[in-house]
Amino acid sequence: MKRLLTIIITILLGVLLHFVYEWSGRNPFIALIGAVNESTWEHLKLLFFPFLFMSIVEYFFYKPDFKKFFSSRCIGMLCGLMSIIVIFYTYTGIYKNVDVINIALYILAVFISFFVSDKLYKKTESVLPPVFSIGIFFILTLMFFVFTFYPPDINLFKSP
């Protein structure tokens, strides 16, 4: 039951982050975590930041094994982000870009992230060293911050 609540909160926070930049009057601080345009990259923030936030909240509430928890969360998060990229570009290469499908894809990616994370946490010891897991979260956070204002000139960063 607590997993479902975490997933629902993560989904709702991501939906909120889709709109909060515009609602804030285009505040540059809000731009760091909220989507500033319709690019795939900016939509990855909608999974990344709520997933990271909920992971931190869960860590402090439930006190899981530090090594296993952040290792499994890191891999789960990467799987969710990659699923958005792979599924989005696959389906839009075959069909047209459809908002309802994009929303379903986002929800699926949240489920994938938590599913992979939970399976890894239960079945294995730490897959990644803690410093590596935390480093990946840190590097991705920096990338989201930097590429919000200085996006590379590739399709991942362009609004459709």
Side-chain angles (χ1 to χ4, degrees):
M1 187 64 174
K2 68 181 178 181
R3 172 55 66 230
L4 184 58
L5 180 61
T6 302
I7 289 171
I8 290 169
I9 292 170
T10 303
I11 290 168
L12 293 175
L13 288 173
V15 169
L16 181 66
L17 288 180
H18 190 274
F19 302 103
V20 73
Y21 175 67
E22 289 296 324
W23 293 344
S24 73
R26 298 178 174 252
N27 183 310
F29 291 108
I30 299 298
L32 294 172
I33 62 168
V36 300
N37 61 43
E38 293 297 319
S39 71
T40 305
W41 178 259
E42 290 294 313
H43 281 80
L44 294 177
K45 288 180 182 180
L46 308 183
L47 172 61
F48 180 79
F49 286 108
F51 185 82
L52 177 59
F53 173 75
M54 291 308 295
S55 295
I56 292 167
V57 167
E58 280 192 330
Y59 179 76
F60 285 107
F61 269 94
Y62 303 119
K63 308 284 189 228
D65 177 85
F66 179 82
K67 290 180 191 178
K68 287 175 59 174
F69 184 75
F70 282 103
S71 172
S72 64
R73 285 299 169 99
C74 181
I75 294 169
M77 178 266 311
L78 291 172
C79 288
L81 295 176
M82 290 308 299
S83 67
I84 289 173
I85 294 168
V86 170
I87 296 169
F88 175 77
Y89 285 111
T90 300
Y91 103 76
T92 57
I94 297 168
Y95 193 64
K96 60 185 178 182
N97 187 355
V98 179
D99 288 340
V100 172
I101 296 174
N102 294 338
I103 293 166
L105 172 55
Y106 166 68
I107 293 168
L108 175 64
V110 171
F111 275 96
I112 288 169
S113 296
F114 282 107
F115 177 80
V116 169
S117 176
D118 290 346
K119 288 294 182 188
L120 284 174
Y121 185 83
K122 289 176 186 170
K123 293 195 177 230
T124 65
E125 289 302 313
S126 178
V127 177
L128 301 172
V131 69
F132 194 69
S133 302
I134 301 298
I136 290 172
F137 278 113
F138 181 74
I139 289 167
L140 280 171
T141 300
L142 285 178
M143 289 173 65
F144 280 117
F145 289 176
V146 170
F147 292 157
T148 293
F149 299 106
Y150 305 102
D153 190 25
I154 59 174
N155 285 341
L156 182 68
F157 298 91
K158 294 179 183 173
S159 288

